[in-house]
Structure formats: C-alpha cells, structure tokens
Amino acid sequence: MKIQTTRCLALAVIFMLSACSTSVERIDAQEQIDLSGAWNDTDSQLVAREMIDDSLSRPWIVRFVTQTGKDPAVIIGSVKNLSHEHINTNTFVANMERELINSGQVQFVASADARQEIRAERDDQDVNATSDTRNVGGQEYGADFIMQGQINTIIDMEGKTQVRYYQVNLELISIKDNRKVWVGEKRIKKLVRNSQLRG
C-alpha cells in the first residue's frame, strides 16, 4: 500500500512538472505571426519598407541630385509613439535606416546619439592616438534632410471583438530651409476576435 501511494505521488509530481514545463520552438525570423493584434515586428518591417520605398520614388530625390550632383544625405530624427500601447520605436527607426542605406540612393548620417559617441572617440584619439592614425574633428558629413514622424492608434471594441487601427505619418524635411519635401502615411487595420486586450 505504501509503495503504491509513493508511485502515485511520483506520477502526480511528474504530471505536474510536465504540465508546467516551457516549450520552445525555433521558427523562421521572417515568418509572420500575430498573436495579440498589437503592433509587432512584421508591422515594423512592412511599414518601414513601404514608406521608405515611397519616399525614394518621389520627385524630391531626382530634383536634389540634378541640382547638386550628389546623392542626398539623410538622417532619421524622432519617431514619436502617440499610440495607446508600448511600441519600440527604436526598432522601427532601425528598420527605416536599413531600408534607406540598402537602397543605395542616399547617403546616411549617424544619429545624434551615435555622433556624440563618435565625437568622444575622436577627442580621445586627439590626445592618445598617433598622428598618422588620428581622425581629426571637423570632417563630418552634414545631413541634407531629416525624417521625423509619429505612430497613432485608434481602438474600437465591442465585446470580445476589436478593430485596431494604426496610422504612421512621416515627413522628410530639408535641413537647409525647413521645406517639407515628402509626406508619407501608412495605415494598418486589424480585426481581432476573442481578444482579452483592453483598449
């Protein structure tokens, strides 16, 4: 009887441990998975690709190359998250940077944070590096245009059904004279059923 009770307890423990275990499966990073209906990596990549493609297909870039004889230098400024949910705008900015650089149509200037770190390194080299390996200041490539924008959302919910609406607005602005040379908008609408999320 005692042995049988011990076996039952052991089986119960094994069952409980297996029920609480974590399962991990590796999947293709390009696979589109939408679990909650919230903004995710797929949205970030698709919006960045479509908006950058649109911006580079507009007349401003041909006009700039014709007038100056060089590719425009672009920097991405702030992208504000004005939505109701947490959105990692750093990932979205990184996606846009990749699309701009890989297009081969623009020069891309490092962000303000990156420039501060690089300037600190140049200052250090000025004191510590040999003259033939030192990179001096005052040689930075100035940006011609800055891209800025925001992400907004609207949630419409009835019972356990939601419509999640995302609107991304971006602007490309001439740093020389503050002219807006491109304004882009991308909308995403998702119908989420049986969602436990609250707007």
Side-chain angles (χ1 to χ4, degrees):
M1 182 78 171
K2 192 173 183 180
I3 294 174
Q4 193 172 11
T5 303
T6 305
R7 285 182 182 166
C8 287
L9 284 172
L11 288 172
V13 169
I14 291 170
F15 178 75
M16 286 171 49
L17 289 174
S18 64
C20 298
S21 65
T22 300
S23 174
V24 177
E25 176 186 356
R26 293 191 184 276
I27 58 175
D28 187 341
Q30 300 303 314
E31 187 174 344
Q32 296 184 18
I33 298 176
D34 209 331
L35 298 176
S36 66
W39 178 275
N40 60 27
D41 63 315
T42 300
D43 299 318
S44 181
Q45 293 170 23
L46 290 176
V47 171
R49 185 178 303 119
E50 289 184 22
M51 295 195 83
I52 296 305
D53 284 350
D54 182 69
S55 71
L56 296 177
S57 69
R58 301 299 179 171
W60 70 271
I61 191 167
V62 174
R63 191 178 302 123
F64 182 87
V65 172
T66 302
Q67 290 174 352
T68 65
K70 64 171 188 171
D71 291 336
V74 179
I75 186 171
I76 295 184
S78 62
V79 176
K80 297 177 182 176
N81 175 20
L82 303 180
S83 74
H84 74 287
E85 66 185 64
H86 171 73
I87 293 177
N88 187 341
T89 56
N90 291 333
T91 302
F92 181 55
V93 167
N95 288 333
M96 289 194 294
E97 288 179 350
R98 184 187 66 247
E99 295 298 327
L100 279 168
I101 293 169
N102 291 344
S103 73
Q105 297 183 61
V106 301
Q107 300 293 322
F108 195 81
V109 179
S111 68
D113 290 341
R115 290 198 306 273
Q116 291 304 320
E117 187 174 354
I118 295 166
R119 287 168 185 161
E121 171 60 23
R122 273 200 299 267
D123 290 343
D124 183 74
Q125 286 186 12
D126 194 41
V127 175
N128 298 302
T130 60
S131 59
D132 58 326
T133 62
R134 183 181 304 137
N135 289 287
V136 298
Q139 305 297 311
E140 294 183 17
Y141 203 104
D144 301 300
F145 299 93
I146 185 168
M147 186 173 285
Q148 300 173 324
Q150 59 188 32
I151 303 173
N152 291 283
T153 54
I154 298 173
I155 301 295
D156 188 17
M157 184 167 62
E158 177 63 36
K160 293 185 176 181
T161 302
Q162 277 187 4
V163 174
R164 303 173 77 94
Y165 173 80
Y166 297 86
Q167 182 169 310
V168 182
N169 294 95
L170 295 175
E171 300 176 339
L172 191 65
I173 302 168
S174 168
I175 294 177
K176 179 180 179 180
D177 53 20
N178 294 335
R179 287 179 304 114
K180 292 183 182 181
V181 298
W182 172 80
V183 175
E185 180 179 282
K186 173 66 178 174
R187 302 170 184 174
I188 297 174
K189 188 179 282 189
K190 300 182 181 184
L191 178 63
V192 184
R193 293 188 174 91
N194 298 323
S195 173
Q196 298 304 311
L197 293 174
R198 296 182 180 178

